[in-house]
Amino acid sequence: MNELKQVRTALISVFYKENLDKIVHELNKLNIKIYSTGGTLSFIKDCGVNATAVEELTNYPSILGGRVKTLHPKIFGGILARRENENDQFQLQEYQIPEIDLVIVDLYPFEETVAAGASESEIVEKIDIGGISLIRAAAKNFRDVLVIASRKQYNDLLEILESKNGTITIEDRRKFAAEAFNITSNYDVAIFNHFSGDFSKSAFKQSIQGVKSLRYGENPHQKGVFYGSFDDLFEQLHGKEISYNNLLDIDAAINLIVEFEEPTVAILKHNNACGLATRNNLLQAWQDALAGDPISAYGGVIVVNRMIDTETANAMNTLFFEVIIAPGYHSDALSALTSKKNRIILLSKNISLPKYQFRSLLSGVLVQERDSSMETEKNMKPITTKLPTKSEVYDLIFANKIVKHSKSNTIVLAKNNQLIASGVGQTSRVDALKHAIEKAKGFGFDLKGSVMASDAFFPFPDCVEIADKAGITAVIQPGGSIKDQDSIDYCNNHNMAMVSTGIRHFKH
């Protein structure tokens, strides 16, 4: 079998025509016969290049408002015919079907039409039939045909045509065929998900474009890959290749920082905040965030919601950390931060968090809505005789934002918009609280007047009793235990304020 194929004929029918002119002129230069349809045919002729209308080949007009143009044996026969199959060649001659060696076809913009909020009828009309059939046919017969299914491939095609005078290798044909099937399968998944709704689907289907190879997975002996459009969310300004664990921390950091509007700095380690503070200026926020746990901060990930100034950058630069994320950097600040060769510096763009989350387990996949609930003062239901003060309310809201993004079971202690300690990932809520108190005292914090947030209800009054004895004066928790009253009674008897939100924030 001849592994090299000379392109002699091409079929071109595309929705997007940007940069197509270069391809058309090169095909014309190589004396490759072009077949085309509708607007693409007009575009080619406007380029000063001759092309034959598909209708002339099929002797059949475009019908049903353009819904049927290329669905014809003279088109698909020319694409699917096996060049070294005698019976196929005999039938081509019998029915006067020309071989088609190159297919340049893209798809109607279905996802873009849906995203634009178009009507149902407009969306339906953007379900491609002829185009996707042509792409699949050409990809199936990659041993003889080259398929170009996206305008993103025009430069690659042009380079091949120019460098090899229209001769295509089997490696190139197979590579483009694989990409074609990637494009068509992604298209079908988008259509299925649109028509199936959110949680009424009969199957789990996701098609995520873009791939980023990783050095390894969670551990060096595990392979790892990231699928997604990382570069759409961040620009990496400096540092080493991002790792699997870096990505987990970056995801946790972004989900956390979007909860805060005032100047805020968060330091994360293993997906949990170990330091966080909101202040009037970034430098003070950094200093107070670091004070929350300067030991865990070592080797962590820093995320901020303001442009980093030089003074703050110089202060940060005294700590070893893996990653920093910010919406901007002053030039001198960037110079200071890039002094460490491997430090990953990310510029965050306009980040839109996904509506759904999914993870693999057992023999399937779990899917859920992202936890987008964040309670405000309006959602706080006072359940004790004593009401929280205004400053305590602010701290309760602050602590509740952190507890939402910490591993369960978790307790967060805060004071004056500063995380002073947390206990995360514990098998008992009591252990989480004891751990948080021990850490806060270990770093010199006075717990008197601080507040406590819990990701779930208290089944017994032991937590509020321990908190009270440590100096904590206000508590926020979802409520919902059949023994809620026991905790309420303790608070009432010991002059503590407690509010319930009705919203649990488990995170596993």
Side-chain angles (χ1 to χ4, degrees), residues 4-7 30 160-161 164-169 172:
L4 290 173
K5 298 290 181 181
Q6 181 71 44
V7 176
L30 294 170
I160 290 171
L161 292 173
K164 299 176 182 177
N165 293 316
T167 299
I168 314 296
T169 66
D172 283 335

Side-chain angles (χ1 to χ4, degrees), residues 324-374:
I324 186 165
I325 310 163
Y329 302 85
H330 287 287
S331 58
D332 289 344
L334 192 58
S335 296
L337 294 171
T338 55
S339 62
K340 301 295 188 293
K341 179 178 65 173
N342 291 325
R343 179 181 289 161
I344 296 168
I345 301 177
L346 297 177
L347 177 69
S348 58
K349 302 179 183 178
N350 293 324
I351 294 176
S352 177
L353 296 173
K355 185 178 179 181
Y356 298 106
Q357 298 172 318
F358 49 88
R359 64 167 71 175
S360 62
L361 81 167
L362 300 176
S363 60
V365 176
L366 276 177
V367 181
Q368 68 169 355
E369 293 178 322
R370 189 175 70 87
D371 184 359
S372 58
S373 176
M374 180 36 61

Side-chain angles (χ1 to χ4, degrees), residues 75-227:
I75 301 297
F76 282 86
I79 296 171
L80 286 166
R82 291 158 290 190
R83 305 313 193 242
E84 298 187 13
N85 183 293
E86 291 183 8
N87 188 53
D88 285 6
Q89 293 301 306
F90 175 80
Q91 288 185 320
L92 289 185
Q93 293 179 16
E94 181 180 5
Y95 296 108
Q96 298 182 329
I97 300 174
E99 293 177 346
I100 296 175
D101 307 313
L102 170 63
V103 173
I104 304 175
V105 175
D106 59 12
L107 300 171
Y108 290 156
F110 178 84
E111 291 180 273
E112 294 84 347
T113 304
V114 171
S119 66
E120 187 75 357
S121 60
E122 291 174 307
I123 290 171
V124 168
E125 286 307 311
K126 288 299 184 288
I127 299 176
D128 206 307
I129 302 299
I132 200 166
S133 300
L134 290 166
I135 291 170
R136 287 178 62 85
K140 176 178 180 176
N141 201 24
F142 70 89
R143 292 218 167 263
D144 296 305
V145 179
L146 175 66
V147 58
I148 301 297
S150 169
R151 55 183 166 170
K152 295 177 182 179
Q153 300 169 331
Y154 285 177
N155 287 337
D156 291 338
L157 173 61
L158 188 61
E159 182 180 347
I160 290 171
L161 292 173
E162 290 176 341
S163 63
K164 299 176 182 177
N165 293 316
T167 299
I168 314 296
T169 66
I170 184 63
E171 291 79 15
D172 283 335
R173 298 196 302 276
R174 188 181 185 92
K175 180 185 74 172
F176 282 104
E179 183 58 28
F181 284 123
N182 174 36
I183 290 169
T184 58
S185 62
N186 178 73
Y187 196 77
D188 284 336
V189 167
I191 295 170
F192 169 80
N193 285 336
H194 172 73
F195 282 96
S196 297
D198 291 336
F199 285 100
S200 60
K201 301 171 185 175
S202 58
F204 174 78
K205 295 182 187 293
Q206 286 290 321
S207 180
I208 300 174
Q209 300 297 293
V211 60
K212 184 179 183 67
S213 296
L214 304 175
R215 297 195 304 275
Y216 49 80
E218 200 161 7
N219 299 293
H221 64 277
Q222 296 170 271
K223 293 182 179 179
V225 175
F226 172 73
Y227 292 99

Side-chain angles (χ1 to χ4, degrees), residues 233-278:
L233 305 179
F234 305 97
E235 180 183 352
Q236 183 170 352
L237 304 178
H238 181 77
K240 63 183 178 181
E241 182 183 347
I242 294 173
S243 72
Y244 181 100
N245 292 326
N246 290 151
L247 287 169
L248 291 175
D249 281 327
I250 290 166
D251 177 69
I254 291 299
N255 276 275
L256 174 61
I257 199 66
V258 297
E259 304 283 6
F260 298 89
E261 296 180 0
E262 298 301 315
T264 299
V265 175
I267 309 169
L268 289 88
K269 196 73 172 287
H270 295 293
N271 311 154
N272 294 296
C274 59
L276 196 151
T278 294

Side-chain angles (χ1 to χ4, degrees), residues 256 260 264-265 275-279 374-375 380 392-404 412-420 451 453 476:
L256 174 61
F260 298 89
T264 299
V265 175
L276 196 151
T278 294
R279 294 292 182 261
M374 180 36 61
E375 297 72 58
M380 294 181 182
E392 286 174 335
V393 167
Y394 290 146
D395 280 341
L396 290 171
I397 294 171
F398 175 87
N400 201 44
K401 291 177 179 179
I402 302 171
V403 90
K404 171 185 170 182
V412 166
L413 306 181
K415 187 177 180 179
N416 298 326
N417 283 333
Q418 180 185 17
L419 170 62
I420 57 176
V451 306
I476 184 170

